[in-house]
Amino acid sequence: MKLAWHAKLYIYLVFFIGIYILFYNIFSYPLKIDFLFMLILMSLALTSYFGEITIRYSFNFSSIWNAPVYFHYGFGPLFLIVFLETVIESIYYKKANIKMLFNIGQLLIANWGAHQLYQISKDYLSNNFFIHFIYFFLTFVILNTLLLASIFKLADMYTNKLILEILFLYSISLPIYGIVFAAFYTNPLQTVILVPTVLYFIRGQITRKLKMSFDDDKLENELYIYSRQYLFNYFNQDNSLTFPFWLTLIEYTQHAEFKNISDFAIYLRNLCGPQLFCRYTTNRILIISHSPLSERLHAAQIPFTNVKIENNSFNLESLLTDLEQKLNQVTRKSAKQREIALSNSVRLATIGQLAAGLAHEIRNPLTAVKGFLQLYSLGNKLDTETIQLMKTELNRINQLVTDLLYLSAPLNEPKNKEQHDLNQLVCEVAELLKPEFKTGVQLKLQLATLPPVAMDRNQIKQVILNLVQNALHAVSNSQGEVLLETVRNGPQVIVRVRDNGPGIPPDLQERIFDPFYTTKEYGTGLGLTICRQLINAHGGQIRIDSHPGRTLVEFTLPLS
């Protein structure tokens, strides 16, 4: 999995803090290197190899020597043991460098924190040495789990179940560690020699028991969801792979039918059959199959990407990185398609509203024109005022039809989109509307420094013109004021139109963008509807916030 930059930064931070603690403390405590300590180092290497248990993730008993070394030799040798332990594990199991760095920092910090807490609390503990061991072990477990939970969260792998399973593993290891700790203080030499051997023989039994307990995330229909760590171990250890096989990475998207990713996984199991499922991240599932799943997933309209593996010469980390990048492109394209489909469905619903509203809006002026023509057919002459009224009504019908044709067009990105100076456009609108200013009404400009904005100049000019005209119509007294403002807000610019008019009642604000809704005597009720469609086509948003004595209408435009 390709980690985000903040997750990598956190890993480096944990590593450097751990290394700082190591070098600051290792020379502050005496290093007693004797024959027994050298045997412990050898036993550590063997324990790392024989004590590895692979279930949903890897777990190792090499830290079994931490408490005996700490209580027998002190804090300095413990740090040396912890450092060597993580390096040896990483070499054995070919862990990625960044994983090794986090493991080193994580264990050093957790052991240092356990040491500090133990030093503060040891005088309050009973004289039973085993109680001291349990206290040290539990504080280490808590600190270590917190560090693991934090990186899981940053790496988008965190689940409550995962943390509970890690704590369960520690609860199983406590009696084993306790037996080794007690045996070490009874006969250290024999304990150091026997521990790797015993672990070698009981590792299989422990692994089987753990697999039966919680290795797999078992859902309905005998569905198991494995972890990413299991996936890597599956390919590293299983030499009997059958080729070709497919890796399919699938995106979980919110849907009313699926309450969570587990429901989605059950759906995939029914759709794809009994394959190997891996919970890749909190919202992605990886499927390993011996037949392509493309047709089924395409038919179900599920975002996915896959790769066919022909032979054993493949790099799993590289393949997964490529799958992630391709799926990111697929999900972006899928989201865009859903957005277009949604906008088209909204557009169709709007056309239905328009058809009903248009019939009503056109019938009234047509009735008036028809009446005048009937009078004319009876020999009555039409005066200039009547003819002008007829022209006005016909122009209104023409405007309604023009607006309807625009609103019924699909929502596509403007074709004449170029880089323009938005502030200059705002100034042009202000100059254009000067003749419409009522006596005493002021139009103020407050313009921020903006980079060029990609837009269709005429369309955005139409939006600003419409909004400012609405504001001018709203203010009627001599104290009326309209403020036209531009603001830069990160990756977008905002155009705001404020006025100190009477405001719009809350119940009417919900309908303000509906077709044919208007508070003006001669308005068509399509102006704000068209404004919203133009802004949406530019990838922006428009909203209104109105209270008695003030109204704000603003829209956003992306800078890129």
Side-chain angles (χ1 to χ4, degrees), residues 263-527:
D263 288 347
F264 181 63
I266 293 171
Y267 172 77
L268 287 177
R269 165 64 175 78
N270 295 330
L271 180 69
C272 302
Q275 315 295 346
L276 178 60
F277 288 77
C278 166
R279 194 189 297 277
Y280 193 72
T281 63
T282 54
N283 66 330
R284 288 183 174 181
I285 290 177
L286 185 76
I287 301 179
I288 303 172
S289 63
H290 286 288
S291 59
L293 307 174
S294 306
E295 290 185 8
R296 303 178 194 179
L297 295 172
H298 274 308
Q301 297 183 338
I302 296 174
F304 77 96
T305 184
N306 61 1
V307 62
K308 182 180 180 182
I309 301 176
E310 303 276 5
N311 52 55
N312 205 29
S313 59
F314 66 91
N315 185 307
L316 184 60
E317 192 80 46
S318 176
L319 284 176
L320 293 178
T321 300
D322 289 342
L323 283 175
E324 286 181 39
Q325 293 174 350
K326 290 177 181 177
L327 186 57
N328 289 339
Q329 296 173 357
V330 170
T331 51
R332 282 196 294 268
K333 183 178 179 181
S334 177
K336 185 66 176 176
Q337 289 173 342
R338 287 196 302 273
E339 181 184 336
I340 293 173
L342 179 62
S343 66
N344 285 337
S345 65
V346 171
R347 180 175 58 83
L348 291 173
T350 302
I351 291 173
Q353 288 180 307
L354 288 172
L358 194 63
H360 173 74
E361 293 294 330
I362 290 180
R363 183 180 289 114
N364 291 337
L366 280 180
T367 301
V369 172
K370 181 181 178 182
F372 291 137
L373 290 176
Q374 284 177 340
L375 289 173
Y376 180 76
S377 65
L378 295 174
N380 296 315
K381 292 185 178 181
L382 302 180
D383 56 26
T384 305
E385 184 179 349
T386 302
I387 294 173
Q388 185 59 42
L389 181 59
M390 291 174 63
K391 286 182 179 179
T392 301
E393 295 298 331
L394 289 173
N395 286 336
R396 186 160 179 260
I397 293 173
N398 181 62
Q399 185 61 48
L400 284 167
V401 172
T402 302
D403 291 344
L404 175 63
L405 289 172
Y406 180 81
L407 286 172
S408 63
L411 180 60
N412 295 320
E413 189 171 330
K415 295 180 179 179
N416 300 323
K417 204 172 180 181
E418 296 179 357
Q419 298 286 340
H420 293 287
D421 185 340
L422 183 59
N423 284 337
Q424 182 182 351
L425 190 60
V426 167
C427 293
E428 289 179 14
V429 171
E431 191 67 26
L432 186 64
L433 290 176
K434 271 186 179 181
E436 296 190 24
F437 289 6
K438 301 171 186 176
T439 305
V441 174
Q442 299 181 29
L443 176 63
K444 297 182 178 180
L445 301 182
Q446 189 172 316
L447 308 178
T449 303
L450 301 177
V453 180
M455 59 182 173
D456 184 313
R457 198 174 190 280
N458 292 330
Q459 291 183 357
I460 299 303
K461 185 175 182 178
Q462 180 184 346
V463 172
I464 300 173
L465 194 64
N466 190 291
L467 298 182
V468 177
Q469 281 180 324
N470 289 345
L472 289 173
H473 293 157
V475 293
S476 57
N477 55 52
S478 59
Q479 301 298 320
E481 182 177 295
V482 176
L483 174 63
L484 185 51
E485 180 183 8
T486 60
V487 179
R488 178 170 183 177
N489 182 24
Q492 62 184 9
V493 294
I494 304 174
V495 178
R496 293 178 177 141
V497 180
R498 306 176 188 267
D499 68 70
N500 60 352
I504 305 169
D507 57 321
L508 299 183
Q509 289 184 39
E510 298 178 1
R511 301 177 52 202
I512 202 69
F513 292 104
D514 289 353
F516 299 112
Y517 176 76
T518 181
T519 57
K520 300 176 188 176
E521 186 178 356
Y522 298 106
T524 64
L526 296 177

Side-chain angles (χ1 to χ4, degrees), residues 9 14 97 185 339:
L9 180 64
V14 168
N97 290 336
Y185 275 89
E339 181 184 336

Side-chain angles (χ1 to χ4, degrees), residues 59 61 64 133 137 141 168-178:
F59 178 76
F61 282 110
I64 204 169
F133 156 73
F137 178 82
V141 166
F168 179 67
L169 278 174
Y170 279 124
S171 69
I172 290 176
S173 62
L174 176 59
I176 299 174
Y177 284 25

